[in-house]
Amino acid sequence: MTEEDKKLLNTFEAKLRHFMYLHDELKHENAKLKQLLTEKNEKVRRLENSRKELEVMYTNLKMARTISIHDKDINDTKQRLSRLVREVDKCIALLNE
């Protein structure tokens, strides 16, 4: 084997070791990223479950609020709506003049 062949072989071995090192580093980084992804997916799952629970609670609260409306509240709401309708009618009349 000539001196040039030995030099090429040494260069090849050095580059191969470097690539093996880079491969190991990438494997470690990949493992960390997979772990992070698993943790994030778990967090997303928990938040989704929490959102669903809150949505059910909100729906129940709306239902309870609808059921617990008293006649006084209904009358007050009707009166406010009537006042608003009268104001809108006045505005329309002024625009038509």
Side-chain angles (χ1 to χ4, degrees):
M1 199 189 274
T2 65
E3 196 61 35
E4 188 177 322
D5 290 340
K6 288 181 184 179
K7 198 176 197 182
L8 284 173
L9 184 58
N10 286 338
T11 304
F12 176 73
E13 286 177 355
K15 286 184 179 183
L16 182 61
R17 277 192 216 100
H18 180 68
F19 285 130
M20 289 172 65
Y21 170 77
L22 290 176
H23 178 262
D24 287 341
E25 289 294 313
L26 288 174
K27 279 178 31 180
H28 290 296
E29 183 180 0
N30 192 23
K32 287 179 187 176
L33 290 173
K34 283 182 180 180
Q35 177 63 31
L36 183 62
L37 180 62
T38 302
E39 291 170 5
K40 295 293 182 183
N41 284 338
E42 178 62 24
K43 184 176 182 179
V44 166
R45 187 190 61 75
R46 284 193 316 261
L47 289 172
E48 183 65 25
N49 287 339
S50 177
R51 184 197 60 82
K52 286 178 182 178
E53 289 175 15
L54 288 172
E55 196 172 86
V56 168
M57 290 170 59
Y58 177 69
T59 302
N60 291 342
L61 181 63
K62 283 193 325 187
M63 183 65 71
R65 176 77 176 131
T66 302
I67 292 171
S68 70
I69 291 180
H70 300 291
D71 289 335
K72 182 180 182 235
D73 292 336
I74 292 173
N75 288 334
D76 288 344
T77 303
K78 284 181 182 179
Q79 289 174 356
R80 277 186 273 151
L81 284 174
S82 294
R83 279 193 300 259
L84 288 172
V85 168
R86 282 193 298 272
E87 286 183 39
V88 168
D89 287 341
K90 286 179 187 177
C91 291
I92 291 173
L94 289 173
L95 288 172
N96 287 333
E97 291 179 1

